Amino acid sequence: MRRWLTGMALALLAPAVLATSVAPQLVVDGQVLLAQSADGRVRLVHRAGDRAAVSVPALTRALAPYHRAGREPLVRVPALAWEQERRVTPLDGFDYLLAGSARLSADGGTLAVGAGREGALDAWLIRRGQAPERMLPTAMARYSSVTDISADGRTVVGWLLDRQSVARGFLWRERRGVRLLPDPLLLPLAVSADGTGLLASSDREDRDSLRRKALSAVLDPDAALLPGDPGVSLWRIGESPTQLAAEGRALAYARLQGAVLWRTREPGRLTVRLGHESQTFEADALAAGQVDRVSGGTMAANGRALLLQGRRNSVLLTPMQKLPLPAGLLADSVTFSSDGRHVAALFRASDRPGERALRAWWRDLTQGDSRRLRCAGDPAAGRLFLSADGYRLTLAGQAGGYCVFDLAPEVQP
């Protein structure tokens, strides 16, 4: 940790200059991208164009308390399928899924998702080319969905509403089946890449009230932190949970190393726990005056690159450098490669009248190389997917269409 603080105090880089645009390697129209494998080559997609609302009144009413007004929790998925280099494998049997619930294993061969039809919503495990497997017995849950999946696809965490509409967290493991999370854990937020540990909300007293608030945090993570919210805990499966905060909201989890970034109400600060160290550090101290007041952030899977977001500006931190986020970049869209060596984000740009384009910025943090990426689409609804090695970036429109960029350096003969 001393290396983090010393290195960041010594290195302050000038804002990056946006370099020459890069042409996409692959352009796909008419498909909505939902999830992508770690290498960026396998994607979960559905046909674009069907914007009709999902009509399942009982399910919509059951989920309504956990969503802000106006947010649609269910997404219609016509012609849901796996796609790999334009080869499509249909995934039949589902009319809709819970927004944001689709999770692919690292190789893209296993999907965990909350999906259903005719009013149902269940947590499913689907291996490519095999029949879907419902992870929970129907008697155990009225509704259920998925929060995260391990890299090998053999461990899945999620939540359920039981027959009394009480929210509970579950852990599913291959060959071991499903179990509820032990006390004092409430609902899982993420699972480690190797499937041996997880980040979860945890309780203090009124469990039913806290379960409702915990599910709201899972389904609507941007909602305000309120008095009486649940705490944050780490759990290495088979051991006793470690509570990080009695009352707080987790913002980021490094799935390869166990680093955590979380927010507390009093005095409204962010705290960082790097790796498996027992020490924690205030985010404002790490930002060292470069951010007016840290209010959010994210981190790489190995915990060695961190974005700290303030009211007016943001900063990227690694053990050896500090990089102010260039003007115009959308801090909420920042994503890292697994090793923290590459970063990408959407950015705003003034288009010519009538022109509509998605734009992104990519940077190699070790070499200082920056790229501009541009793809046809709605600039107000873009999404980024960055491969684990940081060299394959997919820029997708929320209403359909995506472009794939190969950013790997050319090999000299």
Side-chain angles (χ1 to χ4, degrees), residues 62-377:
L63 297 177
Y66 310 105
H67 283 270
R68 283 174 289 177
R71 290 192 63 177
E72 177 54 60
L74 301 174
V75 178
R76 190 178 297 277
V77 285
L80 187 64
W82 266 283
E83 185 273 325
Q84 183 175 9
E85 306 301 336
R86 295 191 182 275
R87 299 191 306 273
V88 174
T89 303
L91 207 171
D92 299 324
F94 304 108
D95 292 337
Y96 50 83
L97 55 79
L98 187 69
S101 69
R103 298 288 187 272
L104 287 174
S105 59
D107 65 2
T110 303
L111 166 68
V113 65
R117 63 187 307 175
E118 298 177 349
L121 179 67
D122 295 298
W124 294 91
L125 186 81
I126 310 166
R127 296 180 175 88
R128 193 169 182 178
Q130 300 182 24
E133 175 184 352
R134 184 185 281 109
M135 282 187 279
L136 279 70
T138 54
M140 186 176 182
R142 182 184 178 198
Y143 302 115
S144 60
S145 186
V146 166
T147 304
D148 203 5
I149 188 172
S150 62
D152 62 8
R154 295 179 177 178
T155 303
V156 178
V157 294
W159 58 267
L160 63 92
L161 289 177
D162 65 16
R163 297 298 171 180
Q164 288 72 46
S165 294
V166 175
R168 301 180 184 276
F170 73 83
L171 166 70
W172 179 95
R173 288 185 285 177
E174 188 177 67
R175 297 191 181 93
R176 298 188 183 187
V178 67
R179 60 165 293 184
L180 297 177
L181 296 191
D183 293 339
L185 303 180
L186 294 172
L187 299 182
L189 305 172
V191 67
S192 62
D194 63 7
T196 63
L198 57 86
L199 179 71
S201 52
S202 53
D203 75 341
R204 294 173 298 103
E205 41 190 59
D206 180 358
R207 294 185 61 83
D208 287 344
S209 174
L210 287 171
R211 283 194 179 100
R212 289 192 292 272
K213 292 179 179 180
L215 185 53
S216 295
V218 169
L219 297 182
D220 193 1
D222 297 326
L225 184 62
L226 301 174
D229 269 12
V232 179
S233 291
L234 285 171
W235 180 41
R236 183 161 292 276
I237 298 170
E239 301 178 5
S240 298
T242 300
Q243 188 176 72
L244 303 179
E247 188 175 313
R249 179 77 53 81
L251 299 178
Y253 176 55
R255 300 175 71 235
L256 291 174
Q257 198 181 21
V260 183
L261 174 68
W262 71 90
R263 181 174 72 236
T264 58
R265 284 191 64 250
E266 297 180 0
R269 62 178 182 265
L270 271 75
T271 306
V272 182
R273 180 183 192 268
L274 296 175
H276 296 294
E277 301 176 19
S278 59
Q279 291 180 298
T280 60
F281 301 86
E282 297 304 324
D284 284 331
L286 292 179
Q290 298 305 309
V291 176
D292 49 349
R293 180 67 174 175
V294 178
S295 58
T298 188
M299 63 175 66
N302 69 349
R304 294 184 63 79
L306 177 67
L307 170 79
L308 295 179
Q309 181 180 351
R311 295 188 185 96
R312 291 185 297 273
N313 60 328
S314 301
V315 64
L316 294 165
L317 307 176
T318 73
M320 296 306 297
Q321 62 183 351
K322 180 185 299 182
L323 173 67
L325 203 64
L329 293 184
L330 305 180
D332 289 343
S333 71
V334 167
T335 183
F336 293 100
S337 59
S338 292
D339 61 8
R341 294 174 180 267
H342 305 91
V343 62
L346 295 170
F347 73 91
R348 297 186 182 94
S350 56
D351 295 329
R352 292 188 296 271
E355 183 183 9
R356 302 188 69 77
L358 292 163
R359 301 175 189 269
W361 168 83
W362 173 92
R363 182 179 175 90
D364 184 327
L365 293 172
T366 59
Q367 302 297 324
D369 180 23
S370 294
R371 308 286 181 89
R372 277 190 306 174
L373 310 172
R374 183 177 179 278
C375 182

